[in-house]
Amino acid sequence: QQKKFEAEMESMQSKLHDLEKQIQNHSQTSAIQDGRVNLAHARKKRRLDEEFEQLVDDIEAKREQISVLDLSLKRLTGKKEEIENRMKTLERGLVEVLVEQQKKLFSILSLS
């Protein structure tokens, strides 16, 4: 899931870069032509700016999601290590019990 988020982030950042280029290219031409405001130009600028802002917001939200996932992953990793350590302790205890039982069995068998 983390790789999916990272791929989405790369895609979003690429789109942001493309939008930034479009905005720069669009800014090269004037919104005023022949003494009149070119409404289509102004609308396109507004649309590009809105898309840019939305994409920036989406990227920030995605970064927050990744941070939450990273934190959850760290917690789960810690719990996993804790459980593995408890399992090792239980396994050692089980081996000790089995060795004791084997010793008792050998002593019983040697008495027979």
Side-chain angles (χ1 to χ4, degrees):
Q1 193 175 23
Q2 186 174 2
K3 288 183 181 183
K4 176 186 169 194
F5 277 132
E6 289 172 357
E8 287 176 4
M9 281 290 293
E10 286 180 25
S11 173
M12 291 168 75
Q13 287 173 340
S14 176
K15 287 178 186 175
L16 186 67
H17 185 67
D18 290 344
L19 262 175
E20 201 171 36
K21 283 183 181 180
Q22 287 180 37
I23 290 170
Q24 286 175 353
N25 290 338
H26 193 69
S27 295
Q28 298 297 318
T29 59
S30 175
I32 299 175
Q33 295 174 347
D34 299 327
R36 302 182 80 190
V37 174
N38 183 339
L39 290 178
H41 185 277
R43 285 187 192 115
K44 183 173 181 180
K45 171 143 180 37
R46 189 176 315 119
R47 181 185 57 81
L48 289 172
D49 287 341
E50 288 171 359
E51 285 180 29
F52 186 85
E53 288 299 319
Q54 183 61 50
L55 200 49
V56 167
D57 290 345
D58 292 347
I59 288 171
E60 184 59 32
K62 191 63 68 176
R63 282 189 178 136
E64 288 177 19
Q65 287 178 330
I66 290 172
S67 292
V68 168
L69 281 177
D70 284 341
L71 185 60
S72 294
L73 184 61
K74 286 178 185 176
R75 268 186 291 171
L76 289 173
T77 300
K79 285 181 181 181
K80 178 186 172 206
E81 289 173 0
E82 181 183 320
I83 289 170
E84 285 176 348
N85 288 336
R86 283 194 296 189
M87 283 293 294
K88 287 177 186 176
T89 302
L90 288 172
E91 287 172 351
R92 271 188 245 115
L94 179 61
V95 168
E96 288 173 10
V97 167
L98 290 173
V99 167
E100 276 303 309
Q101 286 180 345
Q102 193 174 29
K103 286 179 183 177
K104 287 179 183 178
L105 182 62
F106 284 143
S107 78
I108 291 172
L109 289 175
S110 66
L111 292 176
S112 305

